[in-house]
Amino acid sequence: MDRQVLIESFRARERAALKDLDAIAGGRSLCSISRQGAPVPAAKYHEGTVAALAEARRAIEALADGPDGGQSARAALLDVRARWLAQSRTRGRTGPDWTGYLAGGLDGLEQMIDNDGGLDALDPRN
C-alpha cells in the first residue's frame, strides 16, 4: 500500500472525528465545556480519536520511503497503539473524561487496524 494513501486515510478519519467533536461541542471550545465542571466523556471520546489518529498519521509521515515501507508503517502504528494502551493502564488516568478520551483514541486506532485501508493492508500476508 502506498504510504500517502494511508496518510490520506488517517486524515479523512481525523476530519470525521473532528466533525463529530464539533457536533457534540455545539461550537463551544472544549475548555469552556470542561469549565462547567461536569464530565464530558462523549466530547473527550472524539477528542481522543482525533489525537490518536493524528499521532499515528505523524508517525507514518515521519517514516522514510523504502522497500520495507509497509512493514515500517505497520510497526509505527502498532507502537502508537501500544502507547495508548499503556496510557489507559496508567494510574491517574481514570474518571469519565480520561476513560472517554482513551477509549476514543484506542477505538480510532483499532478501526484503522481493522479497516482495509489501514494496517491490514500493510501486512504482506494479506
Side-chain angles (χ1 to χ4, degrees):
M1 164 176 253
D2 181 88
R3 186 170 63 106
Q4 196 57 39
V5 171
L6 182 60
I7 290 168
E8 289 307 317
S9 182
F10 273 97
R11 283 192 177 123
R13 287 185 183 263
E14 282 177 70
R15 285 190 298 271
L18 281 168
K19 253 178 121 170
D20 292 339
L21 178 58
D22 188 51
I24 287 172
R28 298 173 294 162
S29 73
L30 289 179
C31 293
S32 69
I33 294 171
S34 295
R35 280 193 292 265
Q36 293 174 351
V40 286
K44 298 304 274 183
Y45 177 91
H46 294 294
E47 181 186 17
T49 303
V50 171
L53 292 174
E55 182 179 343
R57 176 186 42 81
R58 288 189 301 270
I60 298 297
E61 289 172 334
L63 295 173
D65 286 326
D68 71 337
Q71 289 178 339
S72 295
R74 183 173 181 79
L77 295 175
L78 291 173
D79 184 56
V80 170
R81 181 178 65 177
R83 285 195 302 271
W84 277 77
L85 278 169
Q87 283 187 60
S88 71
R89 297 177 183 127
T90 300
R91 188 179 195 109
R93 307 270 178 165
T94 58
D97 286 344
W98 269 115
T99 300
Y101 182 83
L102 293 169
L106 287 167
D107 285 352
L109 293 170
E110 290 298 328
Q111 288 172 12
M112 284 303 293
I113 290 166
D114 294 339
N115 182 286
D116 287 338
L119 279 183
D120 285 342
L122 297 173
D123 191 338
R125 297 170 295 192
N126 289 336

